[in-house]
Amino acid sequence: MPQKPDRTYKPNGLITFIRKEYADMGLTKRERRILELAIRGMSDYKIARHLKINPPIVEKAHKSAQKKLADAQKDVEWATKLGIDISEFDAEIENE
């Protein structure tokens, strides 16, 4: 039986979780990078300085990423209510 991914909150673990499990959820590379830096505690302004882009771009990408993740969470909740076993999708992700 495949092992479930570690979903405990650890900054590096959460970053790995974002890279593996949300890679196919429509997050752009920039959105994933901004989330990674935000998880490490950086403000949007500091992220903008770090990535050498304008703060409004970071703010927009950060909000977009958060919306995509919230939408994905709603999809999971909806599937669970319908009785769909989503653990098979976890196994597919682990095998990639």
Side-chain angles (χ1 to χ4, degrees):
M1 176 161 249
Q3 220 177 13
K4 295 235 181 209
D6 180 12
R7 287 189 167 91
T8 55
Y9 179 79
K10 295 178 278 187
N12 289 337
L14 190 55
I15 291 167
T16 301
F17 179 78
I18 289 169
R19 285 181 181 157
K20 287 182 180 176
E21 297 207 16
Y22 292 112
D24 294 329
M25 294 189 152
L27 290 178
T28 65
K29 287 181 183 179
R30 176 176 282 171
E31 288 169 340
R32 283 195 302 267
R33 184 67 179 137
I34 288 169
L35 285 177
E36 291 171 5
L37 295 171
I39 289 165
R40 294 176 193 253
M42 293 178 76
S43 69
D44 284 354
Y45 179 77
K46 287 184 180 178
I47 292 170
R49 288 187 59 180
H50 180 77
L51 298 177
K52 297 178 180 147
I53 57 178
N54 290 325
I57 293 172
V58 171
E59 185 178 333
K60 183 178 177 183
H62 196 168
K63 285 181 182 178
S64 175
Q66 288 175 324
K67 182 182 180 329
K68 289 176 184 179
L69 294 178
D71 290 347
Q73 181 61 37
K74 287 178 188 174
D75 289 345
V76 169
E77 291 169 1
W78 176 77
T80 303
K81 284 181 184 177
L82 290 176
I84 298 170
D85 181 14
I86 61 168
S87 63
E88 64 188 64
F89 299 108
D90 287 341
E92 288 176 16
I93 291 167
E94 287 176 358
N95 293 328
E96 290 181 356

